[in-house]
Amino acid sequence: MLTDADIANAHPLEPITAIARRAGLPADSISPYGDNKAKIEVTKIDWSRPDGKLVLVTGVSPTPAGEGKSTTLIGLTDALAALGENVLVSIREPSLGPVMGLKGGAAGGGYSQIVPMDDINLHFTGDFHAVSAANNTLAAMVDNHIQQGNELRIDPRQVTWQRCVDVNDRSLRRVVTGLGGPASGVPQETGFTITAASEIMAILGLATDLDDLTQRLGAITVGDSFDGRPITAAELGAAGALTALLKDAINPNLVQTLGGTPAFCHGGPFANIAHGCSTLLGTQVALKYGNLVLTEAGFGSDLGAEKFFDIKARYGGLDVAGAVVVTTIRSMKYHGGVPTDQLDAENVDALRKGIVNLERHVDNIRTFGVTPVVALNLFTSDAGAEREFLRQWADDAEVAMAEADVWAKGGDGAVELARLLLDNLSEGSHTLYDTADGVEAAITTIATEIYRAGKVELSWNAKNDLARIKENGWDTLPVCVSKTPYSFSDNPARLGAPEGHTLHVRKLIPRTGAGFIVALTGDVMTMPGLPKRPAAEGIEVDSAGRVTGLF
Amino acid sequence: MLTDADIANAHPLEPITAIARRAGLPADSISPYGDNKAKIEVTKIDWSRPDGKLVLVTGVSPTPAGEGKSTTLIGLTDALAALGENVLVSIREPSLGPVMGLKGGAAGGGYSQIVPMDDINLHFTGDFHAVSAANNTLAAMVDNHIQQGNELRIDPRQVTWQRCVDVNDRSLRRVVTGLGGPASGVPQETGFTITAASEIMAILGLATDLDDLTQRLGAITVGDSFDGRPITAAELGAAGALTALLKDAINPNLVQTLGGTPAFCHGGPFANIAHGCSTLLGTQVALKYGNLVLTEAGFGSDLGAEKFFDIKARYGGLDVAGAVVVTTIRSMKYHGGVPTDQLDAENVDALRKGIVNLERHVDNIRTFGVTPVVALNLFTSDAGAEREFLRQWADDAEVAMAEADVWAKGGDGAVELARLLLDNLSEGSHTLYDTADGVEAAITTIATEIYRAGKVELSWNAKNDLARIKENGWDTLPVCVSKTPYSFSDNPARLGAPEGHTLHVRKLIPRTGAGFIVALTGDVMTMPGLPKRPAAEGIEVDSAGRVTGLF
């Protein structure tokens, strides 16, 4: 069988300048990075154009079976283009660390990919590196301030700003820095995150222009003074330098789908510690030049989609015209209790049991004022009886649903889905809660209306955090819940559609630069490790520069 | 007075594709990064073309007065171009860390700069980030191997491979990693270097093609096993992945001088812990398309130039046709004992005393079979009597010397120097020592013939290192001496031209990937710190993306 890489490498790419022209982008906005990638300069865009319609692609609660959300998005895009729609894509960039760890890129699959996939999965246009450089320059400026007299009286024990690398490196989770004597800093216990978990990645994802970027970078809280006052990056004089380091990264990257559709691929904040969406600017530029723009958000409707509406769409004033909920028969069987190694076997009973998970996600999308369309992403193991059951379910539940076969067929496999989506676009999406009601109310609303929890419990720590948030005037920021994606509850083992459970909030972390409050409901891993056999071990480059084994 | 940034920003740049065409580079080798930068793909170069003539620009022992080596190189290049020469430049890339620390880029100055200077001094085409990613991926793979069963029996106490960042961050010099319990690695005392000090930067600087790059990356020693066997990156299966991370970084970057001359700016290994030259491939590509190529090496003839001949030229089979030794009247006065704050005052006696430093560098260049040309880089404080003294000295000593006024006049300020250089080109440069004689002999030859030391003393540690080098078959690698640049001796306070001194070798570090043995003769700082007022604090970006305060 052909791999994703085989398919991508065999595909003749159009020059990116031709793709950009086709999208209608101004010639002077196009800054090529090689033949097949470009940055689009946001200062050169015609912002007076009307906006196209925005479609959000989300999914059911993820399972080991895999749902193929990005793959469906890309195949659907190419189907819409084939139907004559002026459609553009706005999706996230992959993180390099996991590419070297577990096999699998983040640029779709099969005949539904964005290309050049090897470049996209390696350094791309350097955005992640720019975020790392900005993140680590700020860390050095914090510690240098402490070392050089500490005018701001920063408490070295209360520095919350961490360093980052775009590598899966578990040994950097907990470290002690500043050893080696007085010339080499003040000893501190700290840690590194992966770059995607840096607040600066979230900021890049939400900035509306360079001035807003500077303002948000300056508003980052790096830690506390000895008297408990939050210290910002602006006080350290870092906002301008960090902006300079991100002045190119703020410009969205343009690539193409295998069907030749222009695709913006920009930003990659984690969907647990951050909001998990591609950049607002990437989406906004796409909306200026596409009549229809497909974008996605991490995990299911409870995480990425909720944050899309309540954080990204709120800050960007985005109206969502449609939503696609991607599911598979295998996922629904998994939610119905079938173990991973038995997902190939026909099991309509399990499907009937597990479909509650899909129903919940469909309901959640309606909560935001958007009509959901279910995309059933087909696998070869799917049985006729199972597909028939789902068709019947959709009829009975009055849910718009279409099968899609995008991995094998690309856009040709999503024509019915594309037509169904076009028939289900509307206007007037909205956020879930009013930030004026405060952080605690926001958490409660998300927990009860989206997770269907019976109640919310704040730990002693979280209560202290909340008091501090109120003291500092941060209580009207939107909330970014960090919760397991595998369950609507905070217990990853509770599959299906649990309700009446208790959401345990352990800690509230103000991200004053990004502009949200992270509510931690469990352990959140911000630095992955490598597996026993890292994907890196299988990667080779031949003498002509062709990479093999990347996927 | 105009700053370097003012001059660079006011200059209208030619499109890089036009510059590349003018250089005669094949159209399909040009990979643009925006309008004014490009990578030149080494697999698309016509390697069958004859080589041009290579000129090495070096300097006297550096002083706080500043010599302007890069500035002179660039002005001289534009002067040669104005004389009708087909001339190209091959110089190093700046490191980002120091740009945020002390003011001052590394792309020349005044009317003798390479541009776009802001991009060159920030992320440029991402080469340094690629080196960091490769370096840190290898570090993660080492620690992951130890964590996941440790088949190779790597001794965690003997891991020598360090992580790196391109930030001046003193708090990372000495750290303890792997804390936080058994899921987060094995505790280790280690440290970070700045990216320019990574062995991978040195490897990128010496690799002749992708296969050679893979081979050198695989030959990196990451530490020892419990039974004292050196462990390589190849044994960890990392060579292919690291090559993939560097597959674009290996291609030289093309920019332009203010005079419009094509300039390769590629690679930036430290001149103390590594060999301090721009990449071999950048120089080799330039030699294929330029009749004359100007390149430079870090510090004076004792460090950068010696390493240029004995490491870079040896590995690349380069013949050096000419050499320029850059000096200033202020530097010579400093070597004659004048303190920094009195360098503006006329002082022919101090000049007479300090000129021994220049004489020694001139002699050293002759040792490699090359005729030196002295470039006297003028400053406004230079007195007529001082300039007259130097002219007389050059006549008496039969040294080719010309004044240059490149900061203020660009190429127009170096016409006489350019003519003099053209009159002094020759063939048949050579290395200083035969590697077959072993590491100890190489050190002795460098110490006695270049530094004019009376003898070499190896510490107890260095003797042990030497025994281990012999055991492992590394004794025929060339030597990269890490010595203070300020003196020919290992004592930075001994200015002028000391002789008969003892060179103390403290440690020998095998860089089996780069292919040299580092001989440490003093403390070597591989991670700088930020100053009390970092340059970063003065950097701003306006809403159109223009950076100010960078220089």
Side-chain angles (χ1 to χ4, degrees), chain B residues 249-288:
Chain B
I250 198 177
N251 292 318
N253 308 303
L254 187 71
V255 290
Q256 59 192 288
T257 68
L258 286 179
T261 307
F264 289 98
C265 181
H266 194 216
F270 259 25
N272 49 14
I273 196 78
H275 61 293
C277 306
S278 65
T279 66
L280 179 56
L281 268 170
T283 302
Q284 285 175 325
V285 172
L287 285 169
K288 291 295 169 193

Side-chain angles (χ1 to χ4, degrees), chain A residues 141-157 159 186 188 222 224-226 229 231 236, chain B residues 532-533:
Chain A
M141 289 178 80
V142 173
D143 283 358
N144 186 59
H145 184 91
I146 294 171
Q147 174 82 359
Q148 307 265 15
N150 203 3
E151 278 171 52
L152 292 169
R153 303 192 67 247
I154 300 171
D155 183 346
R157 303 161 310 177
V159 172
V186 174
Q188 289 179 48
V222 299
D224 287 354
S225 71
F226 282 109
R229 191 176 67 82
I231 304 290
L236 290 163
Chain B
K532 187 163 172 73
R533 291 278 165 240

